[in-house]
Amino acid sequence: MTEATARLRALTIGLHPQAMDYSRFPDLDEAQLTARVDVANAALQNTEFDVMPCMVRASPEEAETEIRTLLADQQFDLVMVGGAVRAFPEHTLLFERIVNVIVDAAPGIRFCFNTSPETSLDALRRAAASV
């Protein structure tokens, strides 16, 4: 088995930093969050996972279309949905749409959830332990 086929394929879905409401985070801005996401995504590249990041806008319709298109062309073992999608009441519909499109388009995929960009690898490893 080659290294490429031995690695679990993981889709990470996060809210694009441009779509965040920073008013509730006085010590965080778009540039800082973008840098944190970039560092976290780079760290995921040299792991036991083959990771595809997907940063969605706050529009449930746009996110559903983007994810459905991505899942039509590729298969994944795991999907990690980021905290910014899940944690804020104003994104409840977005979160529902993301979960439902994944369930429809990728039956059997394992879900996991992070609490920040820095905890994405831990979330993926928890999900991989049950695959």
Side-chain angles (χ1 to χ4, degrees), residues 27-116:
D27 297 328
L28 184 66
D29 63 26
E30 183 180 333
Q32 291 169 320
L33 182 57
T34 298
R36 287 175 59 194
V37 169
D38 289 346
V39 167
N41 283 339
L44 292 174
Q45 295 309 307
N46 295 314
T47 66
E48 63 270 31
F49 304 103
D50 178 11
V51 177
M52 164 78 62
C54 176
M55 302 301 288
V56 298
R57 305 289 178 183
S59 163
E61 293 78 18
E62 289 177 23
E64 179 178 348
T65 299
E66 183 175 355
I67 294 166
R68 190 173 295 283
T69 299
L70 197 125
L71 292 174
D73 295 334
Q74 300 181 54
Q75 291 186 334
F76 297 92
D77 303 295
L78 310 169
V79 60
M80 194 271 320
V81 181
V85 171
R86 302 183 328 272
F88 304 115
E90 65 268 22
H91 295 143
T92 298
L93 181 56
L94 174 66
F95 181 44
E96 285 178 357
R97 294 283 284 274
I98 288 172
V99 168
N100 287 325
V101 73
I102 293 167
V103 167
D104 288 345
I109 198 168
R110 288 300 258 192
F111 284 84
C112 60
F113 307 101
N114 69 359
T115 56
S116 70

